[in-house]
Amino acid sequence: MSYNIYHNLVIKVSPEKVFEAVSLPEHLDNWWTLKSSGKPKLGAAYNLNFTDEYDWYCKVSAIEPNSSIHFKMTESDADWNSTTFGFDLEENENGTLVKFSHVNWPRENHHFKHSSFCWAMLLNGLKNYLEKGVVIPFEKRN
């Protein structure tokens, strides 16, 4: 059995802008990571650095430009290592419906529940970044 996190939200910008914000390091660093690297291409490796202790890697496991991107964790902690997270984007009359998923968690433990809460906060930060240009300094992100 595995456990999954799902969050849906509308961001009032185009799918292209959301896709850039969730796939390009220069945007990821403004709402999620301390510093990151990678290219939005199938099989491409990404480095997701949060601190020296949390210097993680993943690869692009599925991609459809401006519509969908999913990342399979390859080097992280025991809870995240089996997981895949991603963003599916649908244009609507209000902007872009973002369907976020983080799937295949091995346990429904504290880390799973905490990560679900953190993703909700980070996705709100993504929304504020894209709609209002708000960049929260990394050390103030939860």
Side-chain angles (χ1 to χ4, degrees):
M1 178 171 220
S2 65
Y3 300 91
N4 304 317
I5 297 168
Y6 298 103
H7 295 293
N8 287 1
L9 67 150
V10 173
I11 300 179
K12 296 176 185 173
V13 299
S14 69
E16 294 81 11
K17 291 204 178 295
V18 177
F19 186 83
E20 289 175 355
V22 300
S23 66
L24 297 177
E26 60 265 30
H27 292 290
L28 291 171
D29 296 349
N30 285 329
W31 67 271
W32 186 30
T33 52
L34 174 61
K35 58 186 176 196
S36 61
S37 63
K39 296 201 182 311
K41 292 176 21 179
L42 187 62
Y46 274 69
N47 175 222
L48 308 172
N49 179 276
F50 304 96
T51 63
D52 288 344
E53 184 181 352
Y54 297 97
D55 188 21
W56 293 355
Y57 292 85
C58 62
K59 69 177 181 179
V60 178
S61 59
I63 186 167
E64 189 175 323
N66 301 320
S67 179
S68 179
I69 189 164
H70 291 257
F71 300 89
K72 170 73 176 96
M73 295 306 298
T74 58
E75 187 179 326
S76 60
D77 70 17
D79 286 329
W80 277 60
N81 236 11
S82 62
T83 67
T84 299
F85 68 91
F87 305 84
D88 294 301
L89 312 176
E90 294 179 10
E91 189 166 21
N92 69 24
E93 66 278 358
N94 297 314
T96 302
L97 172 62
V98 178
K99 296 178 179 180
F100 172 82
S101 61
H102 192 166
V103 301
N104 296 323
W105 285 76
R107 290 173 289 288
E108 186 183 17
N109 59 9
H110 171 77
H111 192 193
F112 167 81
K113 294 172 185 177
H114 179 74
S115 292
S116 180
F117 174 78
C118 287
W119 273 123
M121 299 296 287
L122 288 163
L123 292 168
N124 189 57
L126 170 65
K127 179 178 174 68
N128 287 328
Y129 170 61
L130 287 170
E131 290 180 356
K132 302 173 185 171
V134 174
V135 175
I136 298 169
F138 179 79
E139 57 278 358
K140 295 194 177 192
R141 297 178 207 155
N142 291 337

